Amino acid sequence: MAHVGVHNHKDKELRIHESLDELGTDLADYIAELSETSVKERGVFAVALSGGSLIGLLGKLCEAPYNKTVDWTKWYILWADERVVAKNHADSNYKLAKEGFFSKVPIVPSHVHSINDSVSAEEAANEYEFVIRQLVKSRVISVSDTSDCPKFDLILLGIGPDGHVASLFPNHPVLDEKDEWVTFITDSPKPPPERITFTLPVINSASNVVVVVTGDSKADAAHLAVDDVGPDSPLVPAKLVQPTKGKLVWFLDKPAASKLEGIQFSE
């Protein structure tokens, strides 16, 4: 096995890797498998991406064998969160994903659904939710059988050093949003301030959620999210990622996993 180990941790699987290179290969392998299963079962693969270092790790999917073996024409791409900036702006998750990932594989341009960046954050969130509703109506995105939420085939998330996922930040009222599928914030603790984000019910309705965590700056956040820390520890949003019926897998490199309890690294 290339990875340091696969640890089954109650309701999640932890895949810990020696290097970013191995993590990227395992992640590509995992996503390619999910894509194949989904295309067999549903004829499509609906994926929501986040931004950050996560996108760079998708690079392996653009290489052999995946660039040829994955059925890219069946992919639909959305964003679990987006900064409300122009698509050519350095902060745009769309720009990051386009440059680092989907411009290198034959994904159908009309299957890529980015936000309307010319309206307010609130309007952008409402319009994006409408887009998702249309895709649910046409069965491109499934519906959860336990709630009325969309059921993405895969939601791919990173995590911040503060434990935020998507644009769900610690102690922010959006963590309690139960009714909207897509909501917005205008006061992000890190710039840019205006963002749209999937809500927790949508994230937790997905068939598969993958959280990718790399680097020692994320080690504390990973520990707080994954381990059984007492009620006195800060609650990090990543801990609230608990798919109702879907599968949750965390991909970590060794520095990010260095503070996890009960994980021994053989030197």
Side-chain angles (χ1 to χ4, degrees), residues 24-25 27-28 31 53-64 66-67 72 99-102 104-105:
T25 302
L27 182 64
I31 294 173
S53 50
L54 168 71
I55 300 298
L57 292 166
L58 296 179
K60 286 270 196 292
L61 272 173
C62 307
E63 298 167 13
Y66 311 105
N67 57 353
W72 295 109
E99 289 175 355
F101 173 43
F102 64 78
K104 302 177 180 176
V105 284

Side-chain angles (χ1 to χ4, degrees), residues 50 81-83 93 158-176 183-200 203 235-238 240:
S50 201
D81 73 309
E82 179 57 287
R83 289 84 178 270
N93 286 340
I159 175 178
D162 61 354
H164 82 267
V165 286
S167 284
L168 303 169
F169 290 95
N171 307 314
H172 195 286
V174 291
L175 292 171
D176 300 320
T183 190
F184 69 100
I185 62 172
T186 53
D187 57 355
S188 164
K190 49 183 263 197
E194 301 212 333
R195 297 156 178 244
I196 65 117
T197 183
F198 284 7
T199 56
L200 280 166
I203 291 172
L235 176 65
V236 296
L240 302 172

Side-chain angles (χ1 to χ4, degrees), residues 2 22-23 28 36 53-54 56 64 79 88 119 122 144 185 201 256:
E22 281 175 14
L23 189 156
E36 192 179 347
S53 50
L54 168 71
W79 276 264
N88 56 2
V119 294
E122 182 171 13
S144 158
I185 62 172

Side-chain angles (χ1 to χ4, degrees), residues 1-60:
M1 293 286 276
H3 25 82
V4 174
V6 173
H7 303 262
N8 285 311
H9 192 287
K10 289 203 317 239
D11 48 1
K12 61 182 82 65
E13 185 182 293
L14 306 177
R15 296 183 173 212
I16 300 167
H17 297 83
E18 288 284 352
S19 68
L20 285 179
D21 195 53
E22 281 175 14
L23 189 156
T25 302
D26 190 36
L27 182 64
D29 227 24
Y30 188 74
I31 294 173
E33 257 176 65
L34 291 181
S35 169
E36 192 179 347
T37 304
S38 182
V39 169
K40 265 198 195 109
E41 288 174 2
R42 305 205 310 113
V44 292
F45 186 49
V47 187
L49 305 174
S50 201
S53 50
L54 168 71
I55 300 298
L57 292 166
L58 296 179
K60 286 270 196 292

Side-chain angles (χ1 to χ4, degrees), residues 88-133:
N88 56 2
H89 191 288
D91 287 328
S92 163
N93 286 340
Y94 168 85
K95 177 183 163 76
L96 194 67
K98 183 176 186 187
E99 289 175 355
F101 173 43
F102 64 78
S103 63
K104 302 177 180 176
V105 284
I107 286 172
V108 181
S110 65
H111 291 182
V112 177
H113 294 275
S114 53
I115 68 163
N116 179 352
D117 54 26
S118 62
V119 294
S120 70
E122 182 171 13
E123 286 171 289
N126 290 340
E127 283 189 28
Y128 208 53
E129 181 165 323
F130 182 75
V131 167
I132 295 173
R133 287 190 186 276

